[in-house]
């Protein structure tokens, strides 16, 4: 049996008519930027996240960067980010001229450990950027308490967590703003690059909209030195076609994850831990194994696709050598990078496929 790490085919087959209708609507109107599709999707996605405002962007990295820019974070400032995440989180901080300060995760959840945050706060700290990694919500109550205590902004990185909840509340609705990615592989994916910012603050929403439109509040009038980062009409239309189905598809991911968590019994393998009060959406199902490379080869030889999230920690990436963080300084991030293995997780997996993966892992 061959099982890819991810496949869009089951979802695309099911939503084929809706996707084609979305394309036809946009093509018939001949209006491709800043039209009705964008407006309608922003309204729907804001409501979905239980926030007041949504601003479409070109991608998730831009959404985070524009959020920081709108909050006035810049040169000389520091932003606390998890040491274990995709590099886009840190790049957003770098792009506004600030410095990312890495805080180690909880080894059980892979998410930032709130108990380690305060030790990294200095007089330069301006914001905390928690990442709801792999589709599981961070422990937001203590994070928000710390932010209030130290008068810091909170920008949530929700790129992998569309629809995840913490104590009954959607991620993206806790901080001052939140960034989402709609990269095709996300739980809510466009058919190309796309992203969005959500917030309950109108001033932030208005500023981000202007910043993403060349700094313009109306045509040819520029109040900021902005960027070009807008959600185009056709991607907005595709996202609107998928959004009504997302909760149902996330529930199917949870069912698959439950089968994995209950079925994988290999003592060499650690399955994900879900804290009480968190309802993940399982963008990624990441296991850990000290013999990761051998396990990966074993699965690949059986036709099972895998991935690693992420094989090189951010502080060890060449582009962040300037931070002068030596190997060994962030041991938990390094341990996760050396042991994490992502196994197939996508809408439309059959029970037979899931059991095949489980049996292969248990045979290792």
């Amino acid at each position: 049996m061959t099982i890819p790490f991810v496949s869009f085919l089951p979802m695309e087959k099911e939503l084929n008519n809706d996707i084609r209708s979305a394309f036809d609507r946009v093509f018939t109107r001949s209006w491709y930027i800043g039209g009705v599709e964008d407006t309608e999707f922003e309204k729907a996605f804001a409501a979905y996240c239980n926030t007041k405002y949504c601003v479409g962007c070109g991608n998730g990295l831009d959404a985070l960067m524009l959020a920081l820019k709108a909050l006035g974070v810049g040169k000389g400032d520091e932003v606390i980010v998890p040491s274990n995440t995709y590099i886009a989180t840190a790049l957003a901080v770098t792009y506004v001229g600030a410095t990312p300060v890495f805080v180690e995760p909880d080894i059980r959840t892979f998410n930032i450990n709130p108990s380690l945050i305060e030790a990294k706060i200095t007089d330069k700290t301006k914001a905390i950027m928690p990442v709801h990694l792999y589709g599981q919500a961070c422990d937001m109550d203590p994070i928000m308490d710390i932010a209030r205590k130290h008068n810091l902004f909170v920008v949530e990185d929700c790129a992998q967590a569309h629809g995840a909840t913490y104590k009954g509340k959607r991620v993206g609705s806790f901080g001052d703003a939140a960034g989402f990615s709609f990269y095709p592989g996300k739980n809510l994916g466009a058919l190309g690059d796309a992203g969005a910012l959500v917030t309950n603050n109108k001033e932030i929403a208005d500023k981000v909209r202007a910043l993403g439109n060349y700094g313009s509040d109306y045509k040819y009038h520029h109040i900021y030195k902005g960027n070009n980062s807008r959600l185009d009409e056709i991607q907005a239309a595709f996202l609107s076609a998928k959004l009504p189905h997302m909760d149902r598809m996330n529930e199917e991911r949870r069912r698959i994850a439950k089968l994995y968590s209950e079925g994988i019994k290999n003592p060499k393998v650690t399955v994900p831990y879900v804290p009480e009060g968190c309802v993940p959406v399982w963008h990624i199902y990441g296991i850990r194994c000290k013999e990761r490379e051998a396990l990966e080869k074993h699965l690949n030889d059986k036709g099972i696709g895998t991935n690693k999230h992420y094989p090189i920690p951010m502080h060890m990436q060449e582009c962040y050598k300037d931070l002068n963080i030596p190997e060994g300084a962030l041991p938990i991030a390094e341990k996760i990078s050396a042991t994490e293995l992502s196994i197939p997780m996508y809408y439309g997996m059959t029970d037979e496929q899931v059991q095949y993966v489980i049996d292969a892992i248990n045979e290792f």
Side-chain angles (χ1 to χ4, degrees):
M1 183 181 294
T2 299
I3 304 173
F5 173 67
V6 66
S7 174
F8 304 144
L9 293 178
M11 176 181 61
E12 289 174 348
K13 183 178 180 180
E14 189 174 309
L15 301 183
N16 178 69
N17 291 338
D18 293 343
I19 294 294
R20 291 183 182 277
S21 294
F23 174 83
D24 289 342
R25 289 199 310 271
V26 176
F27 192 66
T28 299
R29 289 193 188 103
S30 296
W31 191 286
Y32 303 111
I33 298 287
V36 65
E37 296 289 347
D38 187 19
T39 299
E40 290 304 310
F41 173 73
E42 288 179 351
K43 288 179 182 177
F45 194 65
Y48 180 83
C49 295
N50 295 321
T51 57
K52 294 180 180 178
Y53 308 101
C54 171
V55 181
C57 304
N59 53 68
L61 170 55
D62 283 359
L64 296 174
M65 181 269 292
L66 292 170
L68 292 172
K69 204 169 181 180
L71 291 167
V73 179
K75 188 176 181 179
D77 294 330
E78 294 176 349
V79 177
I80 288 173
V81 300
S83 58
N84 177 58
T85 184
Y86 184 55
I87 200 167
T89 313
L91 289 175
V93 177
T94 301
Y95 286 172
V96 298
T99 300
V101 175
F102 299 125
V103 170
E104 289 273 72
D106 182 327
I107 189 68
R108 301 172 304 165
T109 66
F110 304 147
N111 282 333
I112 193 167
N113 188 335
S115 68
L116 303 178
I117 291 176
E118 282 196 281
K120 293 294 185 80
I121 294 174
T122 71
D123 58 0
K124 295 181 180 179
T125 307
K126 198 76 172 281
I128 303 171
M129 189 178 284
V131 181
H132 305 294
L133 200 66
Y134 302 168
Q136 175 153 250
C138 292
D139 191 0
M140 290 305 298
D141 282 351
I143 292 172
M144 296 306 300
D145 288 344
I146 292 166
R148 284 188 285 266
K149 178 181 175 181
H150 295 275
N151 196 29
L152 303 175
F153 297 118
V154 173
V155 177
E156 298 174 68
D157 183 338
C158 302
Q160 300 181 3
H162 315 67
T165 61
Y166 173 80
K167 296 185 178 179
K169 189 177 178 182
R170 300 267 198 202
V171 299
S173 62
F174 292 89
D176 296 277
F180 285 84
S181 166
F182 302 126
Y183 182 77
K186 305 300 186 184
N187 291 37
L188 179 61
L191 302 190
D193 271 323
L197 170 138
V198 298
T199 181
N200 285 309
N201 186 310
K202 187 177 186 300
E203 183 179 349
I204 293 172
D206 289 345
K207 191 168 184 179
V208 166
R209 190 175 300 283
L211 285 167
N213 188 33
Y214 300 95
S216 174
D217 55 347
Y218 61 88
K219 198 170 182 68
Y220 302 133
H221 183 258
H222 303 271
I223 52 179
Y224 309 114
K225 295 174 182 175
N227 303 80
N228 175 18
S229 183
R230 299 169 296 195
L231 177 61
D232 66 68
E233 282 289 277
I234 199 154
Q235 298 301 342
F238 292 151
L239 291 166
S240 290
K242 290 185 172 184
L243 182 59
H245 304 276
M246 189 163 63
D247 281 344
R248 174 174 59 83
M249 292 182 173
N250 281 343
E251 188 57 43
E252 176 62 10
R253 286 175 176 263
R254 282 191 282 271
R255 191 186 73 83
I256 294 167
K258 187 172 186 288
L259 292 174
Y260 276 151
S261 295
E262 293 178 351
I264 296 172
K265 302 295 185 183
N266 191 325
K268 295 180 179 180
V269 173
T270 302
V271 299
Y273 168 78
V274 180
E276 186 177 350
C278 292
V279 180
V281 293
W282 300 107
H283 172 60
I284 289 166
Y285 190 94
I287 59 178
R288 286 196 305 112
C289 179
K290 289 181 180 179
E291 301 173 45
R292 194 259 306 276
E293 308 307 326
L295 174 58
E296 181 175 41
K297 183 179 186 305
H298 170 75
L299 295 178
N300 292 169
D301 287 347
K302 287 183 169 290
I304 298 169
T306 56
N307 208 330
K308 304 183 189 80
H309 296 91
Y310 299 95
I312 304 173
M314 287 184 295
H315 67 285
M316 293 172 63
Q317 295 282 359
E318 186 173 351
C319 64
Y320 277 120
K321 282 184 177 179
D322 60 312
L323 295 178
N324 297 312
I325 301 174
E327 184 175 352
L330 297 167
I332 301 177
E334 292 174 27
K335 184 175 183 179
I336 292 172
S337 289
T339 59
E340 191 275 343
L341 185 66
S342 303
I343 60 177
M345 167 59 73
Y346 55 89
Y347 176 79
M349 284 189 74
T350 66
D351 287 355
E352 182 184 13
Q353 289 175 316
V354 175
Q355 191 61 50
Y356 184 77
V357 176
I358 292 169
D359 291 343
I361 292 173
N362 288 339
E363 289 168 7
F364 176 70

